[in-house]
Amino acid sequence: MRSPRKKLLLWLTAFTLIMACVPSVATPVPAAPLDPNAISTFILQTAEAASTQTAAAMPIFTSTATFTVTPPSTFTPESTYTPVGTIIFPTPTPVESDQLYRFKHDYQLAYYNYKSRTSDNEWPVEKWGLQTPEMVQLWVNREIGSGTHRTKLNGAWEAYIDLLNNYNPRKLYYLKANNTALFDGAGFPQLESVSMGGNIITLDEIKNGWGRVHTFDFNNPGSLEGVNYITRPDLVHKFIIIGWSRKTKTTYVADPPPPYGDMYWPLVSSRDVWTPLEFLEAFPLLPMVVTGVIKQEIKQKPEAGSDSIGYTLAAGASAQVIEYYPSGSDVWGRLSSGGWIALLRHPKAVITYMTDWKMETRPPLPPPAVK
C-alpha cells in the first residue's frame, strides 16, 4: 500500500504535466482611446462597399421614358406644328410664318441640263414618248439614290384620294395604275414617296443641304374634311406633265391629257423623307414691301369672291405683306395694314402677277373651276 507521501508526489507530478500542455495567455495591452471620426469613416466605407457589392449582384435595367402625343383633331389653314425653320420677323406686330417652297421644274435644274428630262438622248422615246409625269423623288436618307419609301394608301386614305378626284373612275384608274408615277412598279395601294414640279411644301428640318419634308401624319391626320388643293396645296399635290417639243426645242408643263385632266393626291408618308434644297425655290421672305402692277381690291379674306374692305391697291402703290396664303395655284398676301391682296392669280388660265412680287418657279396649272 502506497504511503501518503508517495500519493502526494504522484498528484504533484500529474498536475505539472497537465499545466505544461495548456497554452500561455498573452498579457493584455491597454487599448487606445476611441476616435469618433475614425468610427464614422469606417461605417461610411463599409456602407459604400456593401452598396457596390449589392449593385454588382443586381440585374441591370434600362429605363425608357414614354411620351404620349395628342395631335390636333382637325387641320386648319395655319399649321399647328412648330417646324425647325420657323422664322419670327421683326415687324411692329411680330408674325410667325412657315417658310414655303416650290419644287423646281426640269428646265430650272442642272440635273436635267435645264430642259425637260424627255429631251435627253437616252430617254426611251419609243416606249414613253416625249411627255412624262414630272416626278420629284423624296428620299429616305439625305442622299440622292438612297431609295424612296412606299406608304400603303388603303382604308381611309383610299377613300380620301377618291374624294380628291371626285370619284372619277377614269382619273382613279390612271392614278392607281401600276405603271403611272405614284404607284409605279408596285401598284396600288403602295404609294411611292414623290411629288411633282411646281407643288408647294414646307420643311420640318434643314440639315446639310437637305430638307425633311412635312407631310400628313399617316397614323393620325385628324379631320380631312375640307382639306384639298385649294385650301392646303402644301399637303394635297397636283399631277403635272413635263414635255419636250422637238419642233420648237422647248420644254412645256401641262395637265395630263384628256380624259384625265386635273388629278390630286395627298402628300403622305409613313416615315421621314428628304429632298435636296437645290431642288426647291423658297418663297421670298416676309415681311416685304410690294408695289401694285394691276389695280385690285383689298379683300377681307384670301378669296377672289371675298368682299372688299373698302380700299384698293392701285398700280404703283406700295404695301407691306406679312403673311402668305397659297390657295391652289394662286398666292395671296396679308397686309400689315389689314386685308388681303392677290400676289399671283390665273384669270382665264393665264399666270398673272398682280404686284412686283415674283417667283421663277411656276405653280401647276389651276383647276378648271378657277381658270
Side-chain angles (χ1 to χ4, degrees):
M1 188 172 177
R2 293 178 181 172
S3 64
R5 179 176 229 170
K6 286 184 179 181
K7 289 181 180 180
L8 178 61
L9 182 60
L10 288 172
W11 278 108
L12 288 172
T13 302
F15 178 75
T16 302
L17 292 172
I18 291 170
M19 291 303 295
C21 295
V22 177
S24 60
V25 179
T27 304
V29 178
L34 295 176
D35 182 358
N37 293 329
I39 294 174
S40 298
T41 301
F42 175 76
I43 293 173
L44 179 62
Q45 291 173 341
T46 302
E48 289 177 345
S51 175
T52 301
Q53 292 172 1
T54 301
M58 293 178 66
I60 298 174
F61 297 95
T62 302
S63 176
T64 303
T66 302
F67 300 92
T68 301
V69 179
T70 304
S73 60
T74 60
F75 283 97
T76 60
E78 296 297 329
S79 299
T80 52
Y81 64 91
T82 303
V84 174
T86 294
I87 302 171
I88 299 178
F89 300 105
T91 60
T93 303
V95 177
E96 184 173 326
S97 175
D98 298 335
Q99 178 65 58
L100 299 170
Y101 302 84
R102 284 196 192 277
F103 280 112
K104 293 179 179 178
H105 296 286
D106 287 8
Y107 57 81
Q108 297 172 263
L109 297 170
Y111 190 81
Y112 294 114
N113 199 26
Y114 302 105
K115 294 183 291 187
S116 169
R117 65 193 71 185
T118 62
S119 69
D120 192 275
N121 291 332
E122 297 184 5
W123 180 261
V125 175
E126 295 76 13
K127 181 179 180 181
W128 294 338
L130 291 172
Q131 292 184 342
T132 192
E134 194 182 22
M135 291 171 54
V136 181
Q137 290 157 317
L138 308 179
W139 306 104
V140 295
N141 294 314
R142 296 188 303 275
E143 180 181 358
I144 292 178
S146 60
T148 55
H149 177 62
R150 296 281 181 173
T151 299
K152 188 173 289 188
L153 213 64
N154 54 12
W157 285 110
E158 180 179 6
Y160 184 48
I161 195 172
D162 291 353
L163 173 64
L164 290 174
N165 293 282
N166 297 317
Y167 304 99
N168 185 303
R170 289 183 175 179
K171 294 177 186 288
L172 294 172
Y173 176 81
Y174 183 90
L175 276 178
K176 296 178 180 180
N178 61 6
N179 60 349
T180 307
L182 302 182
F183 304 94
D184 190 21
F188 186 84
Q190 301 292 343
L191 175 69
E192 187 175 7
S193 56
V194 296
S195 182
M196 295 190 186
N199 281 291
I200 291 177
I201 60 166
T202 60
L203 300 175
D204 289 334
E205 180 184 3
I206 293 177
K207 189 172 184 180
N208 299 330
W210 286 74
R212 181 162 57 88
V213 179
H214 179 71
T215 69
F216 275 116
D217 183 335
F218 174 72
N219 292 313
N220 197 342
S223 173
L224 298 175
E225 183 178 359
V227 180
N228 53 50
Y229 181 65
I230 299 300
T231 60
R232 291 300 301 267
D234 59 316
L235 289 174
V236 176
H237 283 190
K238 190 172 186 289
F239 205 99
I240 294 299
I241 296 292
I242 192 80
W244 175 253
S245 171
R246 285 178 170 173
K247 182 178 180 180
T248 61
K249 305 296 183 185
T250 56
T251 298
Y252 59 90
V253 175
D255 288 327
Y260 310 114
D262 300 81
M263 295 183 292
Y264 308 93
W265 80 97
L267 182 64
V268 59
S269 176
S270 55
R271 65 159 293 168
D272 291 344
V273 287
W274 298 78
T275 186
L277 295 182
E278 64 187 285
F279 281 30
L280 303 174
E281 181 184 1
F283 276 51
L285 292 178
L286 299 179
M288 70 176 297
V289 174
V290 299
T291 301
V293 173
I294 300 173
K295 180 181 177 180
Q296 62 173 307
E297 292 182 329
I298 301 176
K299 302 287 189 177
Q300 294 180 12
K301 299 178 181 179
E303 303 169 358
S306 172
D307 292 335
S308 169
I309 66 170
Y311 296 94
T312 61
L313 181 69
S318 296
Q320 185 184 56
V321 175
I322 59 174
E323 181 184 353
Y324 290 125
Y325 183 77
S327 177
S329 301
D330 296 343
V331 180
W332 293 80
R334 183 163 69 90
L335 302 181
S336 59
S337 56
W340 296 83
I341 61 170
L343 299 173
L344 171 61
R345 296 262 349 257
H346 290 80
K348 298 181 180 179
V350 177
I351 185 169
T352 304
Y353 288 97
M354 306 293 288
T355 72
D356 60 353
W357 180 93
K358 282 185 173 60
M359 290 183 65
E360 181 184 349
T361 306
R362 297 168 69 100
L365 293 175
V370 295
K371 286 182 181 178

